[in-house]
Amino acid sequence: MDIRVSGHQVETGAALKEQVTERLQGIADKYFSRALSSQATFGKGPHDNGFTCDIVMHVMQGLVLKATNKGMEAHGAFDGAADRIDKQLRRYTRRLKDRQNGVVNAFAENGAYDNGSYDNNAGYTLFQESVDEDEASDAPLIIAETRVDVPDATVSDAVMMLDLRNTNALLFKNSATGAHNMVYRRGDGTIGWVEPNRAA
């Protein structure tokens, strides 16, 4: 696996690079022997206090893991981020095993899927989250994100990718319907699923 270590206004010494290489290679060997690449980027913490570590791991085509952590030392910041990557991969492999063992996922239990086939009459409800009007901003700042792929996936796979990519929302093409859907993490910790209206 190609492993790159870089610093943003931070020097990365040989000991830190060795720690990153050994830990990330160990994680990859444990779960995916043919992982593609990993990038660990270190930076200064808030107000130049401590360190941040961002890890992006490309496990295979279409499967990207992301984790970030802060710490007073660069080694500690990395360890926390690497622990999150390890936890994400452990969850991912457990879900794959559960699926192979025929465990029914939560969407199937709700009637959206029946033995992997899509039910066109499936219904679901997303409840509106309460928003404090005092906290709402009239003109929120727009941050440009990098361009990302829109994966072709089932809803359960999209939820898994949302977790693995450590992001709040994921746009995907529903492999059962061919329509673009979105899953997102709600304020109460549950997952919301947005699907366009079907033509009557």
Side-chain angles (χ1 to χ4, degrees):
M1 177 174 67
D2 179 31
I3 299 174
R4 298 182 185 185
V5 182
S6 61
H8 182 66
Q9 299 178 342
V10 170
E11 289 292 329
T12 56
L16 181 61
K17 289 181 179 178
E18 184 178 344
Q19 178 191 4
V20 170
T21 302
E22 287 180 5
R23 179 80 191 272
L24 293 182
Q25 189 64 56
I27 291 172
D29 291 343
K30 183 177 176 183
Y31 298 103
F32 292 94
S33 59
R34 295 184 180 178
L36 302 176
S37 66
S38 291
Q39 170 79 38
T41 306
F42 293 87
K44 292 184 179 180
H47 312 293
D48 290 337
N49 187 16
F51 296 88
T52 63
C53 177
D54 296 297
I55 299 175
V56 178
M57 182 180 280
H58 295 266
V59 178
M60 58 187 182
Q61 189 66 32
L63 179 58
V64 180
L65 287 78
K66 296 179 183 179
T68 186
N69 193 45
K70 298 174 186 173
M72 293 309 295
E73 295 181 351
H75 293 272
F78 167 73
D79 283 337
D83 287 344
R84 291 179 183 173
I85 291 286
D86 191 289
K87 184 177 179 181
Q88 290 170 351
L89 276 172
R90 190 167 55 247
R91 249 188 257 155
Y92 174 72
T93 53
R94 187 174 60 237
R95 287 176 181 167
L96 287 180
K97 286 178 185 176
D98 287 347
R99 182 183 300 157
Q100 290 170 353
N101 292 334
V103 174
V104 180
N105 62 47
F107 291 100
E109 291 173 359
N110 290 330
Y113 285 84
D114 181 19
N115 296 326
S117 61
Y118 190 82
D119 178 3
N120 285 329
N121 296 319
Y124 53 89
T125 304
L126 296 179
F127 298 97
Q128 184 176 0
E129 295 181 70
S130 59
V131 178
D132 188 350
E133 293 182 4
D134 295 334
E135 294 180 3
S137 173
D138 291 336
L141 184 64
I142 299 172
I143 306 296
E145 294 285 349
T146 57
R147 291 177 184 239
V148 295
D149 63 316
V150 178
D152 191 2
T154 64
V155 177
S156 58
D157 285 345
V159 172
M160 188 166 42
M161 286 183 210
L162 178 77
D163 185 41
L164 291 172
R165 293 182 182 193
N166 196 24
T167 186
N168 291 325
L170 176 74
L171 177 69
F172 67 101
K173 186 176 179 183
N174 191 323
S175 58
T177 65
H180 285 89
N181 289 197
M182 184 179 72
V183 288
Y184 67 98
R185 198 172 308 281
R186 294 164 45 85
D188 60 2
T190 59
I191 302 294
W193 171 24
V194 178
E195 185 178 32
N197 283 332
R198 299 187 189 99

